[in-house]
Amino acid sequence: MAAQSGKTTPMMEQYHALKREAGDCLLFYRMGDFFELFFDDAREAAAILDIALTSRGEHGGDPVPMCGVPVHSAEGYLARLIKAGCRVAIAEQVETPEEAKERAKREGRPVSKALVKRDIVRFVTAGTLTEEALLEPRRANLLAALAEVRGAVGIASCDISTGEMVLEECPPEQIGAALARLGASEVVIPEGWPVEQSEVIERPRQDFSSDNGEERLKSLHGVATLDGFGEFSRAMLAAAGGLIAYLDHVGRGQLPLLLPPALRAAGQCMAMDEATRTSLEILTAQNGVRAGSLVAAVDRCVTGAGERLLAEDLASPLLKRVEIEARLAIVGWFHADPLSRADLREQMRALPDIGRALGRIVAGRGSPRDLGQLRDGLADARSIHDQLANLPDAPALLAQLLPQLRGHGALIDLFQRALVPTPPTERSGGGYIATGYDAALDELRSISGNARRAIAAMEARYRDDTGIASLKIKHNGVLGYFIEVPAKHADALMAPDSGFAHRQTMAGAVRFNSVALHEEASRIAEAGGHALAAEEAHFEELVRHVCASATSIAATAAALARIDVSAGQAERAAEGGWCAPEISDEPILDIIGGRHPVVEAALAKSGERFVANDCALSQDNRLWLIGGPNMGGKSTFLRQNALIVLLAQAGGFVPAESARIGLVDRLFSRVGASDNLARGRSTFMVEMVETAAILSQATSRSFVILDEVGRGTSTYDGLALAWAVVEAVHSQIICRCLFATHYHELARLAETCDALSLHHVRAREWKGDLVLLHELAEGPADRSYGLAVARLAGVPQPVVKRAKQVLDKLEKARAETGGLGAGLGDLPLFASIADEDEVDETTLADRLLALDLDALSPRDALDLLYQLTAEARATKS
């Protein structure tokens, strides 16, 4: 912000004080019907919002840059600023001009210079949004806080738009994977804590106290102990303390809806790192949008809450077989009854988002429309319960969900009596309390209505009395009610004995008042004011009823979301011919006719058919080495099997004829790396980092897909790395793995790795053209078809012809010398050298440079010389 100099007006002094409080947030400074921004805030906001940057007055001799947005449309501008990565502080007027003048009198200051008091009422940040216009309906909006206690990292996350709060713990090295799973919009950490996240909010370390976190949770939920919610570690409680303190800060003491915390135990979800999630395009495609992602291909939900829960399911597949089978059972139940499923989905399509409506109401940002949504949504939930309860053979999970859809009869009845059928989005204008709910309010409305009718009659009488047919009684926000006549008739009303008082002269019209009109206007204003106050009191009363039932309403919203997801999964399965997977504890992956859901959907749009393939991994045949040409379908085959595993453990049907899935604890995908210039990493470096993570974190229960490891460096280095990685996965990790490669030499690993088998994607050349069959077959690839693919891609014919000449020479040399694979058959097995000590590559120069010669005694120097001589002799021998 520009430095202050010279004389500053009281308003700018107030602004600067608020700006210091706002810190690095943009400050929305309320002035009348606009939020104004000044100085650097104005420059930044004007550029993002594409609005005019102007200036006002003088500030120390310089014009003050400024821009503004209308209050009534501020939400749209806030959404764009938040999307651009900004945080915004809202400074509202907290007193009226009249109150400011009274305060000035009490303080002995000139009334004419009274400045309305302003205060920051809220910070608007990416993780603390509740407004419908600012939120993505299909994605949860999570805020996360991290804290470390005795080597364990606690993570507290919540979606304040629905109140859901989860506490969990992870080792420090798995923070990245945990945050990738959560996909938090905002991450809060203690000041000075080193964490590899580019966008974090640092808060005072004292906020992250486990004792404080425990006490805040107890106080919030009115309990003496948290044992009923789960066994939370000190790290979890510390993170919860930081989270609540941050919410208290941004809400200026007004906490949003926070439901009792749920415990996410270690080993509850399948682990996937950020590289795997990006590679598999689970929630977003490579270009960052939803279209083309797994969730877009699977989603058939009809409610926003269902879509958010589906995204959460896919981001956090389950690990417990009984929980997976419970989800599969309810999907199968809906799948078996298409008529009932269709009726249910049609009824749910009209459901309001009661979870987010509840969040806005409890956060103090609710509207009459939100109350109406709760009324209608809870009534629909009761109807859905009655519909599903009458169907036979309900699965166990549905039996658990159905009771949560009832129990709101008294609240529904109250809201049906209290609210009009379609309540407005704003409560300032009233009109949302139903006639008949409050007799006193009805009387006030009657007085106001009668007065308006009296004004209409007065207008007709004045026309008759004055003979001016064009006389009208109008109203605006400045003058209130007034009489208006054309200028040519004004003289008659200007007469002292006319009974009219002149108010305003306009171009072509003159405005007047009268005693009778003033009295009627006063009656209207008084009755209208009392009516608005009465409605406001009723609104607050209804909000109290909602807050008292917040936990049970949230449970209803969650149950409706789970039902929507299950019915949507069944709909997708019926639509695509998907099957119910069988979940096993054995380390197998037996898929018949597997398909890639995203690629299949894309091909279907153009009328093409997806070629299905089988995959049969077991303990004795756990690593498939897959060769074949580019564009032949290797990467698609790898990804489709990973996605089938993910879908199955998320509790849904899978795109295959049949599938038997052995539970996978960690899923790794190293397919299609690219440069990470922000971190200074080349494609090959990214590939090696991802490969290193797999080799260090994968277990025997993991599923790994690797595509062309080693391709980013020299041929010899790449082959050597690929060879060593295959051996490590096969003999050290001993997990299920699909490994695609163009190194034909790796086929020789089948001679020494007993659980490795060779496969290839089929292709044929026909009259000089490459025909890709996209079918997987057993055995090694006979060739790579690289030149044919180049020709298919449009590489000029002279270049392809020259490449053919070079290739012939290379293949002839390989036949004569044994090529790249020469001598590889003599290598010992990986396991036999895994425990060998690494060769000490420390050079003599390195050792000498490391010495502190000034501190070395003559005796120590002589001993070192003898040692070096002995080592040199040993090396020679």
Side-chain angles (χ1 to χ4, degrees), residues 712-774:
T713 185
S714 73
T715 305
Y716 282 101
D717 283 358
L719 173 59
L721 284 166
W723 186 289
V725 169
V726 172
E727 286 188 329
V729 171
H730 177 274
S731 304
Q732 297 297 111
I733 301 173
I734 316 175
C735 69
R736 289 159 286 177
C737 175
L738 300 176
F739 192 108
T741 184
H742 284 293
Y743 293 126
H744 299 297
E745 292 78 9
L746 293 181
R748 300 180 65 172
L749 283 165
E751 301 168 7
T752 54
C753 298
D754 55 359
L756 180 151
S757 59
L758 304 177
H759 301 264
H760 67 278
V761 287
R762 296 180 60 207
R764 291 288 181 269
E765 281 193 273
W766 175 256
K767 295 183 179 179
D769 292 328
L770 180 65
V771 180
L772 301 170
L773 303 177
H774 302 294

XYZ file of all heavy atoms in Angstrom, residues 712-774:
497
model
N 13.590 -41.211 -20.580
C 14.021 -39.821 -20.674
C 15.518 -39.617 -20.627
O 15.979 -38.480 -20.557
N 16.289 -40.692 -20.668
C 17.745 -40.549 -20.618
C 18.361 -41.384 -21.742
O 17.654 -41.829 -22.643
C 18.267 -40.982 -19.226
O 19.660 -40.727 -19.151
C 17.990 -42.454 -18.958
N 19.670 -41.598 -21.671
C 20.316 -42.368 -22.729
C 19.780 -43.794 -22.763
O 19.250 -44.300 -21.768
C 21.835 -42.407 -22.505
O 22.152 -43.264 -21.420
N 19.930 -44.446 -23.895
C 19.368 -45.785 -24.063
C 19.937 -46.760 -23.038
O 19.200 -47.534 -22.414
C 19.646 -46.294 -25.488
O 19.139 -45.350 -26.413
C 18.985 -47.635 -25.710
N 21.256 -46.721 -22.830
C 21.868 -47.651 -21.884
C 21.393 -47.374 -20.459
O 21.026 -48.289 -19.716
C 23.395 -47.556 -21.964
C 23.973 -48.285 -23.155
C 24.362 -47.584 -24.294
C 24.117 -49.671 -23.149
C 24.888 -48.241 -25.402
C 24.646 -50.342 -24.247
C 25.034 -49.621 -25.373
O 25.545 -50.280 -26.460
N 21.426 -46.098 -20.046
C 20.965 -45.755 -18.707
C 19.497 -46.137 -18.521
O 19.102 -46.681 -17.484
C 21.118 -44.249 -18.468
C 22.553 -43.857 -18.188
O 23.406 -44.757 -18.136
O 22.828 -42.648 -18.048
N 18.672 -45.819 -19.517
C 17.244 -46.107 -19.415
C 16.961 -47.587 -19.283
O 16.161 -48.016 -18.439
N 17.628 -48.396 -20.110
C 17.438 -49.850 -20.044
C 17.892 -50.387 -18.692
O 17.224 -51.228 -18.081
C 18.199 -50.535 -21.181
C 18.221 -52.072 -21.147
C 16.798 -52.626 -21.190
C 19.036 -52.619 -22.318
N 19.043 -49.900 -18.223
C 19.572 -50.371 -16.949
C 18.601 -50.052 -15.809
O 18.337 -50.898 -14.937
C 20.927 -49.730 -16.687
N 18.054 -48.821 -15.799
C 17.114 -48.440 -14.755
C 15.826 -49.252 -14.845
O 15.305 -49.727 -13.822
C 16.798 -46.941 -14.861
C 17.887 -45.997 -14.358
C 17.620 -44.574 -14.830
C 17.951 -46.033 -12.826
N 15.311 -49.402 -16.055
C 14.081 -50.180 -16.228
C 14.286 -51.613 -15.757
O 13.430 -52.197 -15.074
C 13.642 -50.145 -17.693
N 15.416 -52.198 -16.108
C 15.734 -53.576 -15.704
C 15.745 -53.693 -14.172
O 15.131 -54.591 -13.597
C 17.103 -53.962 -16.283
C 17.509 -55.386 -16.085
C 17.880 -55.982 -14.924
C 17.593 -56.398 -17.085
N 18.192 -57.294 -15.129
C 18.029 -57.587 -16.454
C 17.365 -56.408 -18.460
C 18.237 -58.774 -17.152
C 17.568 -57.594 -19.157
C 17.995 -58.763 -18.512
N 16.451 -52.743 -13.528
C 16.572 -52.798 -12.077
C 15.226 -52.564 -11.388
O 14.923 -53.189 -10.363
C 17.584 -51.758 -11.607
N 14.398 -51.658 -11.925
C 13.096 -51.383 -11.335
C 12.194 -52.608 -11.432
O 11.510 -52.977 -10.464
C 12.429 -50.156 -12.008
C 10.972 -50.030 -11.586
C 13.184 -48.882 -11.655
N 12.180 -53.270 -12.586
C 11.368 -54.481 -12.743
C 11.799 -55.536 -11.733
O 10.963 -56.169 -11.060
C 11.479 -55.033 -14.181
C 10.805 -56.396 -14.274
C 10.842 -54.068 -15.168
N 13.093 -55.739 -11.595
C 13.578 -56.746 -10.642
C 13.194 -56.381 -9.205
O 12.800 -57.253 -8.422
C 15.100 -56.864 -10.740
C 15.579 -57.589 -11.988
C 17.073 -57.868 -11.957
O 17.819 -57.072 -11.350
O 17.492 -58.886 -12.538
N 13.276 -55.077 -8.862
C 12.932 -54.660 -7.503
C 11.454 -54.881 -7.212
O 11.088 -55.380 -6.143
C 13.286 -53.187 -7.306
N 10.593 -54.517 -8.156
C 9.156 -54.711 -7.963
C 8.838 -56.203 -7.851
O 8.028 -56.627 -7.013
C 8.364 -54.062 -9.119
C 6.894 -54.442 -9.039
C 8.522 -52.552 -9.099
N 9.492 -56.999 -8.677
C 9.212 -58.432 -8.691
C 9.746 -59.149 -7.453
O 9.024 -59.941 -6.821
C 9.825 -59.067 -9.955
C 9.649 -60.554 -10.026
N 10.536 -61.437 -9.431
C 8.694 -61.324 -10.609
C 10.135 -62.667 -9.644
N 9.019 -62.627 -10.372
N 10.987 -58.876 -7.094
C 11.653 -59.697 -6.087
C 11.733 -59.061 -4.707
O 11.914 -59.776 -3.717
C 13.072 -60.032 -6.559
O 13.041 -60.667 -7.814
N 11.616 -57.722 -4.619
C 11.714 -57.070 -3.334
C 10.340 -56.636 -2.799
O 9.999 -56.945 -1.679
C 12.630 -55.843 -3.432
C 14.064 -56.175 -3.812
C 14.745 -57.035 -2.756
O 15.037 -58.194 -2.986
N 14.977 -56.470 -1.592
N 9.583 -55.938 -3.632
C 8.266 -55.471 -3.194
C 7.240 -56.598 -3.283
O 6.368 -56.735 -2.432
C 7.819 -54.256 -4.038
C 8.847 -53.120 -3.901
C 6.445 -53.773 -3.618
C 8.590 -51.941 -4.811
N 7.328 -57.395 -4.327
C 6.459 -58.574 -4.546
C 4.995 -58.144 -4.617
O 4.123 -58.690 -3.941
C 6.671 -59.646 -3.456
C 8.163 -59.849 -3.177
C 6.046 -60.975 -3.852
C 8.460 -60.806 -2.036
N 4.697 -57.128 -5.421
C 3.321 -56.656 -5.556
C 2.834 -56.849 -6.983
O 3.612 -57.152 -7.889
C 3.228 -55.178 -5.161
S 4.061 -54.058 -6.313
N 1.541 -56.667 -7.168
C 0.958 -56.734 -8.509
C 1.392 -55.503 -9.302
O 1.358 -54.387 -8.793
C -0.565 -56.783 -8.406
C -1.122 -58.081 -7.864
C -2.523 -57.918 -7.305
N -2.503 -57.219 -6.024
C -3.588 -56.890 -5.322
N -4.785 -57.192 -5.816
N -3.483 -56.274 -4.169
N 1.788 -55.741 -10.546
C 2.344 -54.640 -11.343
C 2.102 -54.880 -12.823
O 2.234 -56.005 -13.316
C 3.846 -54.516 -11.070
S 4.690 -53.281 -12.093
N 1.758 -53.808 -13.533
C 1.720 -53.789 -14.991
C 2.807 -52.828 -15.446
O 2.811 -51.663 -15.046
C 0.348 -53.337 -15.499
C -0.856 -54.203 -15.094
C -2.157 -53.576 -15.596
C -0.718 -55.619 -15.641
N 3.735 -53.334 -16.283
C 4.908 -52.551 -16.668
C 4.971 -52.505 -18.191
O 5.199 -53.523 -18.855
C 6.174 -53.228 -16.107
C 7.413 -52.384 -16.177
C 7.952 -51.833 -15.034
C 8.066 -52.146 -17.376
C 9.122 -51.059 -15.069
C 9.218 -51.384 -17.440
C 9.746 -50.838 -16.283
N 4.720 -51.325 -18.764
C 4.771 -51.160 -20.217
C 6.139 -50.620 -20.619
O 6.694 -49.758 -19.940
C 3.672 -50.198 -20.675
N 6.680 -51.140 -21.706
C 8.028 -50.728 -22.111
C 8.234 -50.930 -23.607
O 7.524 -51.708 -24.252
C 9.088 -51.522 -21.330
O 10.389 -51.044 -21.665
C 9.001 -53.010 -21.673
N 9.239 -50.212 -24.139
C 9.688 -50.429 -25.512
C 11.038 -51.140 -25.543
O 11.568 -51.397 -26.622
C 9.803 -49.088 -26.246
C 8.481 -48.519 -26.663
N 7.695 -49.103 -27.617
C 7.806 -47.421 -26.234
C 6.596 -48.380 -27.779
N 6.639 -47.364 -26.943
N 11.595 -51.427 -24.366
C 12.874 -52.136 -24.303
C 12.617 -53.639 -24.471
O 12.232 -54.333 -23.531
C 13.576 -51.871 -22.972
C 14.048 -50.459 -22.776
C 13.669 -49.730 -21.645
C 14.887 -49.841 -23.699
C 14.109 -48.421 -21.453
C 15.329 -48.533 -23.518
C 14.931 -47.824 -22.394
O 15.362 -46.541 -22.218
N 12.852 -54.142 -25.693
C 12.638 -55.574 -25.941
C 13.579 -56.431 -25.106
O 13.269 -57.581 -24.787
C 12.856 -55.896 -27.427
C 11.899 -55.160 -28.330
N 10.543 -55.356 -28.283
C 12.114 -54.222 -29.287
C 9.963 -54.571 -29.186
N 10.890 -53.869 -29.796
N 14.716 -55.841 -24.730
C 15.712 -56.603 -23.970
C 15.169 -57.038 -22.610
O 15.643 -58.029 -22.041
C 16.973 -55.749 -23.770
C 17.749 -55.474 -25.060
C 17.113 -54.370 -25.913
O 16.174 -53.717 -25.411
O 17.550 -54.177 -27.058
N 14.179 -56.327 -22.090
C 13.619 -56.682 -20.784
C 12.904 -58.034 -20.821
O 12.667 -58.645 -19.772
C 12.641 -55.605 -20.316
C 13.231 -54.228 -19.990
C 12.129 -53.280 -19.524
C 14.295 -54.329 -18.907
N 12.586 -58.500 -22.025
C 11.915 -59.796 -22.132
C 12.772 -60.911 -21.534
O 12.246 -61.947 -21.097
C 11.595 -60.105 -23.593
N 14.077 -60.712 -21.475
C 14.948 -61.739 -20.931
C 14.759 -61.925 -19.433
O 15.199 -62.919 -18.852
C 16.408 -61.385 -21.242
C 16.653 -61.293 -22.754
C 18.071 -60.941 -23.110
N 19.017 -61.986 -22.720
C 20.303 -61.978 -23.052
N 20.782 -60.981 -23.769
N 21.102 -62.949 -22.665
N 14.084 -60.946 -18.777
C 13.794 -61.083 -17.355
C 12.850 -62.245 -17.073
O 12.815 -62.770 -15.954
C 13.185 -59.784 -16.811
C 14.169 -58.637 -16.569
C 13.420 -57.325 -16.381
C 15.030 -58.936 -15.343
N 12.075 -62.641 -18.061
C 11.171 -63.776 -17.871
C 11.937 -65.058 -17.560
O 11.379 -66.008 -16.995
C 10.296 -63.963 -19.110
N 13.231 -65.110 -17.934
C 14.033 -66.308 -17.677
C 14.417 -66.422 -16.210
O 14.669 -67.529 -15.717
C 15.300 -66.258 -18.540
C 15.022 -66.187 -20.040
C 16.276 -65.840 -20.831
O 17.364 -65.797 -20.218
O 16.156 -65.608 -22.065
N 14.484 -65.278 -15.495
C 14.938 -65.302 -14.102
C 13.864 -64.891 -13.105
O 14.013 -65.155 -11.910
C 16.137 -64.352 -13.938
O 15.782 -63.051 -14.416
C 17.336 -64.871 -14.724
N 12.823 -64.224 -13.555
C 11.748 -63.789 -12.654
C 10.546 -64.705 -12.854
O 9.837 -64.600 -13.869
C 11.364 -62.335 -12.936
S 12.708 -61.168 -12.677
N 10.319 -65.600 -11.915
C 9.328 -66.652 -12.126
C 7.887 -66.150 -12.111
O 6.998 -66.819 -12.645
C 9.503 -67.757 -11.078
C 9.451 -67.228 -9.655
O 9.303 -66.005 -9.498
O 9.557 -68.029 -8.720
N 7.609 -64.983 -11.504
C 6.237 -64.471 -11.466
C 6.017 -63.375 -12.500
O 5.061 -62.615 -12.411
C 5.908 -63.948 -10.071
N 6.928 -63.281 -13.489
C 6.812 -62.281 -14.558
C 6.402 -62.973 -15.842
O 6.943 -64.029 -16.185
C 8.148 -61.553 -14.723
C 8.250 -60.453 -15.784
C 9.280 -59.416 -15.354
C 8.643 -61.000 -17.162
N 5.440 -62.377 -16.540
C 5.024 -62.917 -17.834
C 5.028 -61.807 -18.875
O 4.899 -60.626 -18.547
C 3.631 -63.553 -17.741
O 2.672 -62.608 -17.321
N 5.193 -62.222 -20.143
C 5.333 -61.272 -21.241
C 4.025 -61.137 -22.015
O 3.343 -62.134 -22.289
C 6.441 -61.733 -22.192
C 7.808 -61.956 -21.552
C 8.789 -62.490 -22.590
C 8.328 -60.673 -20.922
N 3.705 -59.888 -22.365
C 2.480 -59.606 -23.117
C 2.762 -58.456 -24.079
O 3.745 -57.722 -23.925
C 1.339 -59.212 -22.163
C 1.017 -60.273 -21.148
N 0.013 -61.179 -21.307
C 1.618 -60.569 -19.964
C -0.018 -61.990 -20.252
N 0.953 -61.641 -19.428
N 1.889 -58.293 -25.057
C 2.058 -57.190 -26.004
C 0.704 -56.792 -26.574
O -0.242 -57.591 -26.574
C 3.006 -57.585 -27.142
C 2.456 -58.654 -28.036
N 2.504 -60.003 -27.727
C 1.826 -58.577 -29.243
C 1.943 -60.706 -28.693
N 1.523 -59.863 -29.630
N 0.626 -55.539 -27.035
C -0.580 -55.089 -27.736
C -0.366 -55.373 -29.224
O 0.693 -55.078 -29.786
C -0.860 -53.594 -27.487
C -1.357 -53.378 -26.081
C 0.363 -52.728 -27.742
N -1.347 -55.950 -29.833
C -1.206 -56.432 -31.206
C -1.296 -55.291 -32.226
O -2.053 -54.335 -32.051
C -2.271 -57.482 -31.509
C -2.160 -58.749 -30.664
C -3.249 -59.731 -31.031
N -3.147 -60.093 -32.444
C -4.180 -60.481 -33.182
N -5.394 -60.513 -32.655
N -4.010 -60.816 -34.442
N -0.515 -55.428 -33.271
C -0.539 -54.471 -34.389
C -0.075 -55.202 -35.646
O 0.668 -56.196 -35.568
C 0.352 -53.283 -34.095
N -0.499 -54.736 -36.782
C -0.102 -55.339 -38.057
C 0.146 -54.230 -39.073
O -0.466 -53.161 -39.013
C -1.196 -56.277 -38.589
C -1.375 -57.546 -37.765
C -0.188 -58.496 -37.964
N -0.340 -59.719 -37.208
C 0.102 -59.912 -35.978
N 0.713 -58.907 -35.348
N -0.066 -61.051 -35.361
N 1.036 -54.502 -40.002
C 1.243 -53.591 -41.134
C 0.536 -54.178 -42.343
O 0.708 -55.368 -42.676
C 2.734 -53.402 -41.407
C 3.401 -52.420 -40.448
C 4.774 -52.001 -40.903
O 5.732 -52.719 -40.578
O 4.875 -50.968 -41.604
N -0.240 -53.362 -43.002
C -0.997 -53.816 -44.163
C -0.770 -52.817 -45.288
O -1.171 -51.666 -45.197
C -2.483 -53.924 -43.811
C -3.374 -54.274 -44.969
C -4.188 -53.441 -45.661
C -3.513 -55.553 -45.579
N -4.845 -54.099 -46.660
C -4.446 -55.428 -46.631
C -2.937 -56.808 -45.354
C -4.818 -56.483 -47.436
C -3.320 -57.869 -46.155
C -4.240 -57.713 -47.179
N -0.054 -53.312 -46.316
C 0.256 -52.485 -47.482
C 0.926 -51.170 -47.068
O 0.582 -50.087 -47.541
C -1.019 -52.197 -48.280
C -1.641 -53.453 -48.884
C -2.872 -53.121 -49.724
C -3.469 -54.374 -50.352
N -4.678 -54.071 -51.154
N 1.862 -51.294 -46.147
C 2.638 -50.139 -45.716
C 1.992 -49.309 -44.629
O 2.614 -48.385 -44.107
N 0.747 -49.606 -44.270
C 0.054 -48.856 -43.218
C 0.002 -49.680 -41.933
O -0.111 -50.918 -41.973
C -1.369 -48.511 -43.643
C -1.392 -47.495 -44.779
O -0.472 -46.656 -44.814
O -2.327 -47.548 -45.601
N 0.070 -48.992 -40.798
C 0.014 -49.655 -39.501
C -1.436 -49.778 -39.059
O -2.177 -48.802 -39.051
C 0.806 -48.853 -38.464
C 0.832 -49.423 -37.044
C 1.574 -50.756 -37.024
C 1.492 -48.430 -36.080
N -1.833 -50.984 -38.701
C -3.176 -51.242 -38.195
C -3.048 -51.608 -36.715
O -2.464 -52.639 -36.366
C -3.864 -52.388 -38.958
C -5.263 -52.622 -38.397
C -3.925 -52.070 -40.440
N -3.566 -50.744 -35.835
C -3.496 -50.975 -34.401
C -4.756 -51.715 -33.956
O -5.873 -51.219 -34.126
C -3.392 -49.639 -33.654
C -2.175 -48.788 -34.035
C -2.290 -47.389 -33.430
C -0.897 -49.460 -33.565
N -4.578 -52.890 -33.390
C -5.723 -53.730 -33.024
C -6.208 -53.481 -31.598
O -7.314 -53.907 -31.238
C -5.353 -55.205 -33.199
C -4.884 -55.598 -34.607
C -4.481 -57.060 -34.641
C -5.981 -55.314 -35.634
N -5.377 -52.866 -30.756
C -5.725 -52.556 -29.361
C -6.080 -53.799 -28.560
O -6.799 -53.721 -27.562
C -6.892 -51.554 -29.293
C -6.615 -50.273 -30.008
N -5.659 -49.382 -29.600
C -7.158 -49.742 -31.144
C -5.628 -48.345 -30.420
N -6.514 -48.542 -31.368
